[in-house]
Amino acid sequence: MLTLYSMQSSGNSYKVRLLLARLQAPHKLVEIDILRGESRTADFLAKNPDGHVPLLGLENGKFLPESNAILVYLAEQTPFLPADRFERAETLRWMFFEQHSHEPAIAAARWWLHLVRGGRELKTHD
């Protein structure tokens, strides 16, 4: 069975949970609170040395980090990842755009403003 290491308030974790739900894929969900250091334990770092969520544990004992890599892995041979070469490239283009433009501009701001205690004061722009 797949195991998803996830944080409830993480947008990157959410998109993996959403695809797992849409695929009705059986999986175990393990909540990791990165704000409490749970992604920095020796056990978690053995699975993902980067210490990030989401992280997908596969049936063969391997671990796959990075939300978009996980999405491609899960979507393979489903309608969520087109078989047509151009359509697949378009799908990947939007995924790259999301991580390059949306994630740093919006998700990072949300992180500092809503999740990090004192984040408004720590992350100011002159």
Side-chain angles (χ1 to χ4, degrees):
M1 177 181 292
L2 297 171
T3 301
L4 179 63
Y5 300 86
S6 170
M7 183 170 162
Q8 186 66 34
S9 59
S10 160
N12 285 327
S13 292
Y14 172 74
K15 56 188 187 180
V16 176
R17 290 193 314 271
L18 180 61
L19 183 57
L20 284 166
R22 294 292 308 266
L23 293 171
Q24 298 180 349
H27 65 282
K28 176 182 169 187
L29 186 62
V30 177
E31 181 72 9
I32 300 292
D33 188 341
I34 64 174
L35 298 174
R36 293 180 185 238
E38 293 175 3
S39 65
R40 296 290 174 197
T41 65
D43 181 54
F44 190 84
L45 291 171
K47 296 173 179 72
N48 182 9
D50 290 332
H52 297 150
V53 293
L55 175 68
L56 186 65
L58 307 177
E59 296 92 343
N60 64 7
K62 293 182 179 180
F63 294 93
L64 182 61
E66 299 300 330
S67 60
N68 283 343
I70 296 168
L71 293 177
V72 169
Y73 178 85
L74 293 173
E76 192 71 44
Q77 298 180 351
T78 76
F80 293 102
L81 190 62
D84 177 81
R85 191 173 180 185
F86 182 78
E87 290 177 5
R88 177 184 287 253
E90 281 287 293
T91 300
L92 293 172
R93 178 177 70 88
W94 280 105
M95 293 171 78
F96 299 152
F97 168 80
E98 179 267 336
Q99 281 296 290
H100 178 73
S101 295
H102 169 77
E103 203 278 336
I106 296 173
R110 179 181 169 273
W111 170 263
W112 283 103
L113 295 175
H114 297 288
L115 296 175
V116 175
R117 183 175 303 172
R120 285 185 192 274
E121 293 74 31
L122 291 172
K123 196 68 173 177
T124 59
H125 301 280
D126 296 328

